[in-house]
Amino acid sequence: MKCVLLVIYLHLAPNLSLPFDLPKPLDRFYDEVVRFYKRVKHEGVKTCGLPQIEASHMSNLTVKPGEKVVFNCKVDLSCMVSTIRWYHEMENGTEVLIKTPSDPGIPYVHEIRSVATTDQGMYTCVARNVVGRAHAAAYLAVDRGSMLNLDVRLVLVLLVANISFAFRSGLS
């Protein structure tokens, strides 16, 4: 790895003078890499670095329970991306791997067909290739407002029923 980084560094700074001479095999290797890089660049072939993810496709969402949610991790697949994995960080801080390349479906899309309150948290897609990794994240908030109203009404009904029962029991 050090050898490759040195070659790349020397190519980016060709006028750099090193405090040492390159060994002959490495010198020939460097020349070969430079020739290959120039040929690829001349032919218009795209050279790749880290995976590129378009962050605009991953945005924070607030939904009600039962709604459908789709996270799209728009990865530039023209560069070799070896894996795309999805993680869910829950409210308690636990992070879980939820989708791997071997799972069915489109690797760069994560879909929740019917959101539950336990789905709330941070969703992160991580794209990796031989050069490194990139990630994009979005927070999913589940609006529990309608559920809270239902719970309050249920408590009130139970409270009234208990008072009514206690009142009737007291009259007997």
Side-chain angles (χ1 to χ4, degrees):
M1 184 68 172
K2 290 178 185 176
C3 174
V4 173
L5 292 177
L6 177 64
V7 169
I8 292 170
Y9 183 73
L10 290 174
H11 180 68
L12 295 176
N15 297 329
L16 175 72
S17 61
L18 293 175
F20 57 88
D21 291 330
L22 290 173
K24 287 301 173 196
L26 183 58
D27 193 28
R28 280 182 261 140
F29 175 72
Y30 169 75
D31 291 340
E32 197 62 38
V33 169
V34 169
R35 266 194 300 280
F36 174 77
Y37 179 75
K38 285 180 179 176
R39 190 178 86 233
V40 164
K41 192 172 181 180
H42 175 73
E43 293 173 1
V45 175
K46 182 177 181 179
T47 56
C48 298
L50 292 173
Q52 298 296 314
I53 299 174
E54 209 174 294
S56 64
H57 283 79
M58 288 284 287
S59 58
N60 298 334
L61 299 169
T62 301
V63 298
K64 295 188 183 310
E67 289 186 30
K68 178 180 174 179
V69 169
V70 177
F71 290 109
N72 186 352
C73 185
K74 185 76 172 154
V75 178
D76 179 5
L77 297 175
S78 64
C79 288
M80 289 177 40
V81 175
S82 57
T83 64
I84 299 173
R85 296 177 191 265
W86 286 86
Y87 297 89
H88 176 211
E89 183 180 341
M90 295 179 267
E91 288 297 296
N92 64 8
T94 305
E95 187 173 72
V96 179
L97 175 64
I98 55 173
K99 189 172 182 180
T100 66
S102 61
D103 290 337
I106 303 168
Y108 53 86
V109 173
H110 177 63
E111 180 180 316
I112 304 171
R113 293 181 187 191
S114 180
V115 171
T117 56
T118 55
D119 292 322
Q120 182 161 303
M122 185 69 69
Y123 287 83
T124 306
C125 77
V126 179
R128 289 190 172 118
N129 67 11
V130 293
V131 178
R133 68 184 205 150
H135 69 278
Y139 189 83
L140 175 63
V142 179
D143 182 6
R144 300 174 186 174
S146 60
M147 291 178 61
L148 182 61
N149 292 340
L150 179 62
D151 291 345
V152 169
R153 280 183 258 149
L154 183 59
V155 168
L156 285 174
V157 168
L158 291 175
L159 185 60
V160 169
N162 284 337
I163 292 172
S164 175
F165 178 73
F167 184 69
R168 287 184 195 155
S169 297
L171 291 176
S172 307

